[in-house]
Amino acid sequence: MDTLNIAGRTLKLVRPGTPAKLPLRPWDAADEYIINEAQDLAKITIINDGFGALGCVLSDHIDHWISDSACASDALNSNLNRNGITAQFHILSPMQMQNANGEVAAIKLPRNASYNHYLIEQLIHQGYREIWFAGMMKHLPKNLLSFLQQFGNVQRLPFVKKATIFKLAVDTPNVKSSGYPKQLNIHGQTLWTHANVFGRDKLDLGAEFFLQHFKSIQSQCQKAQPKVADLCAGSGILGLKFKELAPDSELHFYDESAMAIESCQLSWQANQTDSNVAFHWQDGLENAEPVFDLILCNPPFHENNTVSDHIARRLFKQAKQALAEQGQLYIVANRHLPYQSVLQRMFKHVNQVAQNKKFVILHAHD
Ligand SMILES: C[S@@+](CC[C@H](N)C(=O)[O-])C[C@H]1O[C@@H](n2cnc3c(N)ncnc32)[C@H](O)[C@@H]1O
């Protein structure tokens, strides 16, 4: 637990799911900058608060708190509870921005420029007149200033503790569309991808390699009507391709991104007519019953801007608990990552199914 002293308040904050030995704080200097700048505002909309620090400190100022991430929403709720704060603001996903109506919004800059563009498009459409973009110097995209200038006047505030804020005063109601959601055709499947979805423009190379081995993975699966989880589903390509090979399977798509889960739903509707499917917007397989005969996973290797394998480790642990008796976990991963030994500590049997120059496919079961 970390203590944040700011704006006359002291808060105890956690970054849920992070091992204690990793020195990762649940806020950064860009969050502190937003907090200090927002003190004089009656209302502000907060977007992409990593772990709820902004939601806690600015709770009296916020009208809408918007995040694509189920993990961030969980962290917000946990930190609000820990500090005895009752949130009066609306918590929305970016798929619900038609319900946001304010004057000023502050965005913690996302890694992904398409998502940033989508947020600007939605905010301007909803009538926001001022939009702030806060980030650490090392994470600022090179063309950010010129990109923002197409929407109005931009003022960059001085760097403080290597963080800055770009303040955009919107001067146009006409915004060029971000182009999302977008439709792709990949290996015969129609995929819908929203702006913050991994692999939104093309198939990931790891997923491509994984798919090459799906026939053999499917043939190893003994059940006639297996329950299958596509864990970390993105736009749902893995689950959809598996369903094509095993039409009687029951598919469950899991992702912590609301935009990913919405994309999976759209992709499913575009390719499938049966309703043997469920969609779960949540942290991994947390609280899932041990029902899955097969879990397929192309795990993430970063959380916001932090590259780390602690999320994959957490996902594997959850997967072990969500497997039925004789259930099987298959993952694809960059070959430099130590996942084989991580899995060996959790499962009785772990073997490498395939490898190429960049990736390995691992199979784990008890
Ligand atoms: C490497 S992408 C894989 C996407 C897709 N399955 C593919 O193969 O192209 C990893 C996905 O994990 C999701 N993710 C990250 N952390 C997660 C978590 N804690 N629980 C569930 N999904 C998570 C991300 O939103 C992203 O969609």
Side-chain angles (χ1 to χ4, degrees):
M1 182 149 31
D2 289 279
T3 304
L4 174 60
N5 286 303
I6 194 163
R9 302 187 64 175
T10 299
L11 291 144
K12 300 275 181 211
L13 298 173
V14 292
R15 185 170 167 145
T18 311
K21 63 179 187 221
L22 287 180
L24 295 172
R25 276 191 331 185
W27 75 89
D28 63 15
D31 292 316
E32 294 178 13
Y33 215 150
I34 294 179
I35 292 167
N36 288 326
E37 284 295 306
Q39 288 307 306
D40 298 334
L41 291 178
K43 287 291 166 211
I44 185 165
T45 294
I46 294 292
I47 306 182
N48 291 344
D49 184 5
F51 302 94
L54 296 171
C56 288
V57 184
L58 294 173
S59 56
D60 295 339
H61 299 258
I62 297 176
D63 46 18
H64 302 90
W65 186 96
I66 301 172
S67 175
D68 187 39
S69 161
C71 294
S73 298
D74 292 348
L76 169 71
N77 285 320
S78 154
N79 283 319
L80 287 170
N81 284 340
R82 178 165 286 98
N83 292 283
I85 301 168
T86 308
Q88 303 293 342
F89 47 82
H90 301 282
I91 299 178
L92 303 175
S93 85
M95 313 309 307
Q96 300 168 315
M97 285 182 72
Q98 70 279 8
N99 299 324
N101 45 9
E103 286 273 316
V104 183
I107 302 178
K108 236 350 237 318
L109 267 171
R111 287 161 57 90
N112 153 5
S114 310
Y115 181 42
N116 198 32
H117 190 162
Y118 172 88
L119 292 171
I120 297 169
E121 179 188 346
Q122 298 300 313
L123 288 169
I124 295 181
H125 188 255
Q126 290 302 111
Y128 282 77
R129 304 317 308 154
E130 190 172 320
I131 310 174
W132 305 354
F133 303 84
M136 301 302 297
M137 190 190 281
K138 62 182 175 195
H139 299 142
L140 297 178
K142 280 207 179 71
N143 65 352
L144 182 63
L145 181 61
S146 57
F147 171 72
L148 295 179
Q149 279 168 335
Q150 67 182 296
F151 307 106
N153 292 319
V154 183
Q155 178 203 2
R156 187 181 64 71
L157 303 192
F159 280 99
V160 176
K161 294 194 206 164
K162 300 190 178 160
T164 189
I165 297 181
F166 291 78
K167 286 190 174 176
L168 164 67
V170 176
D171 70 3
T172 171
N174 304 315
V175 186
K176 193 171 139 245
S177 164
S178 65
Y180 292 92
K182 169 189 265 194
Q183 205 182 8
L184 309 176
N185 195 298
I186 292 181
H187 290 309
Q189 300 287 319
T190 301
L191 283 193
W192 277 98
T193 61
H194 276 283
N196 199 28
V197 176
F198 177 90
R200 63 197 155 272
D201 298 317
K202 58 178 179 0
L203 185 60
D204 171 55
L205 290 176
E208 176 83 63
F209 182 56
F210 207 2
L211 288 176
Q212 288 166 14
H213 295 83
F214 264 31
K215 248 203 179 113
S216 108
I217 291 173
Q218 190 266 329
S219 66
Q220 306 284 320
C221 184
Q222 306 292 328
K223 287 265 175 82
Q225 297 176 319
K227 273 190 202 285
V228 181
D230 180 348
L231 173 59
C232 301
S235 56
I237 182 65
L238 300 181
L240 283 167
K241 285 304 280 182
F242 191 85
K243 178 78 178 172
E244 194 179 57
L245 290 169
D248 291 330
S249 51
E250 175 181 310
L251 259 296
H252 289 250
F253 293 89
Y254 285 87
D255 204 290
E256 74 99 35
S257 153
M259 285 194 153
I261 287 303
E262 171 87 8
S263 302
C264 289
Q265 283 175 308
L266 292 172
S267 300
W268 182 271
Q269 285 157 14
N271 297 284
Q272 288 293 330
T273 47
D274 88 25
S275 54
N276 220 358
V277 66
F279 303 93
H280 309 263
W281 178 40
Q282 63 167 69
D283 175 23
L285 291 156
E286 201 178 45
N287 300 326
E289 296 293 319
V291 293
F292 291 109
D293 303 302
L294 186 63
I295 297 177
L296 303 164
C297 183
N298 179 4
F301 49 86
H302 63 81
E303 185 177 60
N304 304 336
N305 285 306
T306 310
V307 175
S308 166
D309 62 8
H310 73 272
I311 310 135
R313 289 171 193 263
R314 188 167 86 231
L315 292 164
F316 299 159
K317 220 185 251 172
Q318 294 167 345
K320 167 144 172 122
Q321 276 155 13
L323 284 173
E325 223 171 290
Q326 298 183 350
Q328 323 274 318
L329 167 68
Y330 286 88
I331 71 154
V332 65
N334 258 292
R335 52 186 296 167
H336 70 267
L337 293 166
Y339 290 163
Q340 183 144 2
S341 57
V342 171
L343 288 168
Q344 271 160 347
R345 268 178 252 131
M346 300 180 194
F347 291 86
K348 288 193 187 128
H349 308 280
V350 178
N351 65 295
Q352 185 178 297
V353 173
Q355 63 167 321
N356 67 11
K357 276 196 187 137
K358 249 187 122 179
F359 300 102
V360 289
I361 297 171
L362 302 174
H363 173 205
H365 62 104
D366 279 338

